[in-house]
Amino acid sequence: MNYECILVETVGAGARKTGLIRLNRPKALNALSDPLMDELGHALKAFDADEGIGCIVLTGSEKAFAAGADIPTLMQHDFMSAFNSQLISKNWEHILQVRKPVLGAVQGFCLGGGCELAMMCDVLYAADTAKFGQPEIKLGVIPGGGGTQRLPRWVGKSKAMDLLLTGRMMGAEEAERSGLVARVIPAAELMDEVLKAAETINGYAAPVVALMKQLTNQAFEVPLTQGVQIERGMFHAVFGTANQKEGMDAFLNKRAPNWPQP
């Protein structure tokens, strides 16, 4: 498929490669328009269905991961048109259906809808130039892509309230201290480091990676006791797989594992 709002490529030389998606509306600082979100959903689903892809990296430009939703488009809506057209609902959450790990690589502005999209990634890596925020209050609106729900889960209530109610931005170091991002990396090294992390993940058994992602995301949806019970059941289940046999045999014999193909 020929895309107009994103750039897509496959990276890596191993048995499983990395799908790389770049948001590409430079004049609009990658503002999240409907066409962009439709294309992003298509690309994510295509990589997820490709058995040769182990991991997906989502990034933007040096200036912006995404500076927010597309305000000129939003301005055209009233309540009924927003409701009837399923504004945001219809095409913003394809990323949540992806079974493979999605790594976000953030440089520059990551604001509003951009921050909400970033928080839907499984892991976030930030360049030292990154700036995060939910400035919707400055426009007289509230977040609509999960900002009031995911941000407290990532950074805690007080920090989330501070960001949401003041509309201020926080830099990469504060975002790391708050738990929003896994690592802060110098901007010039960001993509190399994120692709290296993806390559590491690609080297593990694909079913185990998918299960690890599923269970970790589940931790935010169920009570602790229930979550541990589900994890324990899956832990027992993997002892019936060839991955467990190969992984433990390789460890005991001090050799690299040769994971069975899914």
Side-chain angles (χ1 to χ4, degrees), residues 44-214:
L44 286 167
K45 289 178 181 179
F47 278 140
D48 200 34
D50 187 342
E51 292 185 0
I53 297 295
C55 210
I56 301 169
V57 171
L58 177 61
T59 191
S61 67
E62 293 181 2
K63 290 185 177 180
F65 177 80
D70 195 53
I71 304 302
T73 301
L74 298 183
M75 276 287 293
Q76 301 172 16
H77 286 282
D78 58 18
F79 168 73
M80 286 309 302
S81 67
F83 179 78
N84 288 332
S85 67
Q86 301 182 70
L87 183 63
I88 291 183
S89 306
K90 64 184 177 183
N91 57 3
W92 275 56
E93 296 186 342
H94 296 300
I95 189 172
L96 300 179
Q97 310 305 316
V98 174
R99 299 185 68 191
K100 295 170 182 175
V102 180
L103 313 185
V106 177
Q107 299 183 68
F109 296 113
C110 185
L111 306 175
C115 189
E116 290 170 310
L117 176 61
M119 288 190 289
M120 294 185 216
C121 295
D122 296 304
V123 188
L124 277 184
Y125 300 97
D128 50 12
T129 59
K131 295 184 181 298
F132 299 86
Q134 298 285 165
E136 286 87 350
I137 199 165
K138 296 181 179 182
L139 301 177
V141 297
I142 64 172
T148 65
Q149 303 303 301
R150 290 192 177 90
L151 191 60
R153 286 168 166 81
W154 284 80
V155 305
K157 176 185 174 183
S158 187
K159 179 71 72 174
M161 283 287 195
D162 175 42
L163 292 164
L164 290 162
L165 294 177
T166 68
R168 74 175 181 88
M169 294 185 289
M170 67 175 173
E173 291 185 1
E174 183 181 356
E176 183 183 31
R177 290 197 307 270
S178 302
L180 183 62
V181 303
R183 277 190 270 157
V184 177
I185 301 166
E189 303 170 18
L190 178 68
M191 291 310 299
D192 286 343
E193 289 298 313
V194 175
L195 290 172
K196 190 183 301 182
E199 185 176 357
T200 298
I201 295 169
N202 291 345
Y204 297 128
V208 177
V209 170
L211 187 58
M212 194 82 76
K213 167 175 171 165
Q214 176 184 319

Side-chain angles (χ1 to χ4, degrees), residues 237-255:
V238 297
F239 278 79
T241 69
N243 295 305
Q244 176 264 336
K245 300 297 185 293
E246 172 61 18
M248 292 189 175
D249 183 77
F251 176 82
L252 291 174
N253 288 286
K254 297 180 173 58
R255 62 175 177 82

Side-chain angles (χ1 to χ4, degrees), residues 5-25:
C5 300
I6 62 174
L7 301 173
V8 174
E9 61 180 303
T10 299
V11 181
R16 289 191 298 148
K17 298 176 173 56
T18 298
L20 176 59
I21 303 173
R22 294 182 185 272
L23 308 181
N24 187 42
R25 296 187 68 211

